[in-house]
Amino acid sequence: MAVVVSSNGNAPAFEAKLTVYVFICVVIAAFGGLIFGYDIGISGGVTAMDDFLKEFFPAVWERKKHAHENNYCKYDNQFLQLFTSSLYLAALVASFFASAVCSKLGRKPTMQFASIFFLIGVGLTAGAVNLIMLIFGRILLGFGVGFGNQAVPLFLSEIAPAQLRGGLNIVFQLMVTIGILIANLVNYFTATVHPYGWRIALGGAAIPAVILLFGSLIICETPTSLIERNKNEEGKEALRKIRGVEDINEEYESIVHACEISNQVKDPFRKLLKPASRPPFIIGMLLQLFQQFTGINAIMFYAPVLFQTVGFGSDAALLSAVITGTINVLSTFVGIYLVDKTGRRFLLLQSSVHMLICQLIIGIILAKDLGTTGTLGKPQALVVVIFVCVYVMGFAWSWGPLGWLIPSETFPLETRSAGFAVAVSCNMFFTFVIAQAFLSMLCGMRSGIFFFFSAWIVVMGLFAMFFIPETKGVAIDDMRESVWKPHWFWKRYMLDEDDVEKRN
């Protein structure tokens, strides 16, 4: 049990302990991330299973049997891409409903709704007998993702002590990576189970959904959410319970003050358009764009092909999933350890250089040595495999988890739920764009796609350097005073209402 004192410059000092109860709450809530990761990982494997294609996409299956092997175009099909990406469109829409539920009912009920959507969606997809049933199940899964991704990061940021907020919030991304790894393993072993292996793979998402549903019954609501809904005494008791200390008055008063300001705002989405809301609003949206345009999809797509070229043969898909997935999980632990020590900016800047070098080397080798047909030589493929693994490390401890962490901690309470809803919807939109367009881009751009993503990494690195402030150790309700007002660029948007009137 660690004692932490939150302080950073002008930020108030709040004494707190990392209690066992808070740790349990973090782990249970983060199962929402595991479900998201499982859904990300399972789609690609299922859409490659012949039994699934014969059942729902017979034309695609016939084309697959007679397709000429093209290293860049053999997986290009808009229908399969739409099956995968439809989940993200549903999540985009759901995030706005989830924002209202988060504000009116709390973070905990929103997670419970997410679990129910997941369970119904899993039942429909795993038991699907026609395409309509399958797609409707995917839409409900998307609603589960929208509700879960809205509630869980907010919940984690609000119950965590400020000095440990980054690491505890990244547990969400850790569970996403674990979900992807588990899904890849499930895909590998169910691919040989005929004719219903795909049903087992899709049905596996029910396990973490059940854990989240029943686990959410024993976790507490966040003090901020309780006080925001005028349940001050319950909020005070919840704060005392999660902090593990008796003297919580200063932090309690800080939350009450933030809630009083919040309750004066009748339309939080309109408030997001006000100048004072622009810094976290702009950063929150651009982080979602940058996260998807790091090129992680291109890297993960090529991994099985590269492992096979190096000589792993028929085990290439499994080994690729295990090795890259394990690196993804372990590197997220590095992010958990470093984010509250080195800070958010350091990780973003370091990984931008790190990922840029990897993308450029991979792109150069593929452009030089991989044609439309044929394979890489083993020495070149080995080099590419190494840089794929190094690239995954950089993404897993930076742009992957920080894309969720920073928006969840930087909005003031009055726009926190609405602002994070916009961030989640942007993430789902850009994920949809990449999921829908990536294979077609790969077919058209070939190895040039790695240089395309390299250019984006340069842009995001420069943005992080000049426009993303450090939030390490700052109390979540003190961002305005301690982060935005001192920033060289964003301070111009932080005028008080009195100042605006004087200026007018």
Side-chain angles (χ1 to χ4, degrees):
M1 184 179 293
V3 177
V4 297
V5 177
S6 311
S7 62
N8 186 55
N10 297 322
F14 302 138
E15 185 182 356
K17 295 178 181 178
L18 177 57
T19 63
V20 173
Y21 181 70
V22 165
F23 182 77
I24 291 172
C25 288
V26 167
V27 172
I28 290 174
F31 265 89
L34 192 146
I35 303 170
F36 181 41
Y38 188 89
D39 280 332
I40 292 172
I42 212 71
S43 300
V46 165
T47 53
M49 295 182 186
D50 287 343
D51 294 322
F52 176 81
L53 293 175
K54 283 188 286 185
E55 184 81 20
F56 299 105
F57 302 96
V60 176
W61 180 64
E62 288 293 331
R63 196 180 307 122
K64 178 184 174 184
K65 288 195 299 183
H66 301 99
H68 294 291
E69 287 292 298
N70 182 306
N71 285 320
Y72 297 101
C73 300
K74 57 186 174 183
Y75 296 107
D76 180 22
N77 182 273
Q78 289 294 318
F79 292 107
L80 286 184
Q81 290 175 175
L82 183 60
F83 167 77
T84 300
S85 58
S86 60
L87 181 147
Y88 304 115
L89 276 184
L92 187 161
V93 174
S95 62
F96 291 101
F97 293 101
S99 171
V101 175
C102 250
S103 295
K104 301 297 183 185
L105 301 181
R107 284 53 165 154
K108 179 177 171 177
T110 309
M111 287 188 278
Q112 292 168 339
F113 277 118
S115 305
I116 294 169
F117 281 128
F118 278 128
L119 287 171
I120 299 173
V122 167
L124 288 173
T125 53
V129 295
N130 55 54
L131 190 58
I132 293 175
M133 190 173 172
L134 184 73
I135 296 299
F136 189 60
R138 289 288 291 178
I139 290 172
L140 286 177
L141 286 172
F143 267 73
V145 168
F147 272 67
N149 287 11
Q150 170 72 18
V152 173
L154 289 181
F155 177 88
L156 297 178
S157 285
E158 288 179 349
I159 69 166
Q163 290 293 83
L164 300 175
R165 186 177 61 243
L168 292 180
N169 188 284
I170 291 178
V171 174
F172 173 78
Q173 178 68 16
L174 173 66
M175 295 297 264
V176 172
T177 63
I178 292 173
I180 294 172
L181 176 59
I182 292 172
N184 287 333
L185 293 172
V186 169
N187 280 333
Y188 180 80
F189 289 109
T190 56
T192 57
V193 180
H194 303 290
Y196 52 81
W198 63 271
R199 295 188 187 274
I200 298 173
L202 291 175
I207 297 173
V210 169
I211 293 172
L212 179 61
L213 178 61
F214 288 100
S216 65
L217 299 176
I218 66 171
I219 65 177
C220 67
E221 182 57 88
T222 70
T224 300
S225 178
L226 289 167
I227 297 169
E228 184 183 22
R229 291 178 287 125
N230 298 316
K231 299 181 179 181
N232 289 35
E233 286 305 313
E234 291 180 46
K236 195 169 189 178
E237 285 305 308
L239 184 61
R240 185 174 285 113
K241 185 174 184 179
I242 64 173
R243 293 294 178 254
V245 296
E246 286 300 317
D247 184 14
I248 46 87
N249 289 332
E250 194 173 356
E251 184 173 5
Y252 172 74
E253 292 299 330
S254 173
I255 295 172
V256 168
H257 177 67
C259 289
E260 288 172 351
I261 296 173
S262 174
N263 289 334
Q264 294 172 11
V265 177
K266 302 303 180 185
D267 189 345
F269 285 99
R270 180 174 293 180
K271 178 76 172 177
L272 283 174
L273 301 178
K274 300 290 185 181
S277 298
R278 286 176 194 167
F281 184 62
I282 292 170
I283 289 174
M285 287 195 299
L286 288 179
L287 278 173
Q288 311 314 312
L289 169 69
F290 294 152
Q291 186 192 70
Q292 296 307 313
F293 279 76
T294 54
I296 186 68
N297 293 288
I299 293 291
M300 296 305 246
F301 174 82
Y302 260 110
V305 178
L306 295 167
F307 276 78
Q308 189 170 15
T309 301
V310 173
F312 290 118
S314 60
D315 291 329
L318 175 62
L319 282 168
S320 170
V322 172
I323 293 173
T324 58
T326 302
I327 288 171
N328 203 4
V329 172
L330 294 178
S331 298
T332 305
F333 278 108
V334 175
I336 290 173
Y337 177 76
L338 289 179
V339 70
D340 289 314
K341 296 183 182 297
T342 63
R344 285 70 159 149
R345 278 172 50 82
F346 173 82
L347 292 178
L348 292 173
L349 293 171
Q350 179 277 330
S351 63
S352 295
V353 176
H354 176 142
M355 293 190 297
L356 176 63
I357 292 170
C358 294
Q359 285 272 26
L360 289 174
I361 291 174
I362 293 169
I364 290 169
I365 293 175
L366 293 181
K368 180 173 176 289
D369 298 316
L370 183 65
T372 302
T373 58
T375 61
L376 285 173
K378 284 190 178 182
Q380 297 96 321
L382 183 60
V383 172
V384 173
V385 164
I386 291 170
F387 278 98
V388 164
C389 294
V390 174
Y391 172 90
V392 171
M393 288 181 191
F395 177 84
W397 65 53
S398 61
W399 291 93
L402 295 181
W404 296 107
L405 168 61
I406 293 174
S408 74
E409 67 181 2
T410 50
F411 284 100
L413 180 59
E414 61 266 27
T415 56
R416 187 173 300 155
S417 184
F420 195 67
V422 173
V424 171
S425 65
C426 286
N427 186 283
M428 295 301 108
F429 174 74
F430 293 124
T431 304
F432 166 78
V433 169
I434 290 294
Q436 190 64 26
F438 168 66
L439 294 178
S440 300
M441 290 169 61
L442 181 65
C443 183
M445 299 174 70
R446 304 175 186 268
S447 58
I449 196 168
F450 291 92
F451 301 109
F452 171 79
F453 288 125
S454 295
W456 275 102
I457 292 174
V458 172
V459 172
M460 64 185 72
L462 291 173
F463 183 82
M465 179 181 294
F466 293 108
F467 297 107
I468 297 182
E470 184 55 68
T471 56
K472 178 186 73 169
V474 181
I476 194 169
D477 291 312
D478 197 57
M479 293 291 171
R480 178 185 174 92
E481 298 297 325
S482 298
V483 172
W484 303 121
K485 281 190 173 182
H487 191 270
W488 73 273
F489 181 80
W490 299 120
K491 65 182 179 182
R492 69 193 66 186
Y493 298 103
M494 292 295 116
L495 293 174
D496 294 325
E497 291 184 6
D498 292 340
D499 295 331
V500 174
E501 290 179 5
K502 288 177 182 177
R503 175 176 287 187
N504 291 335

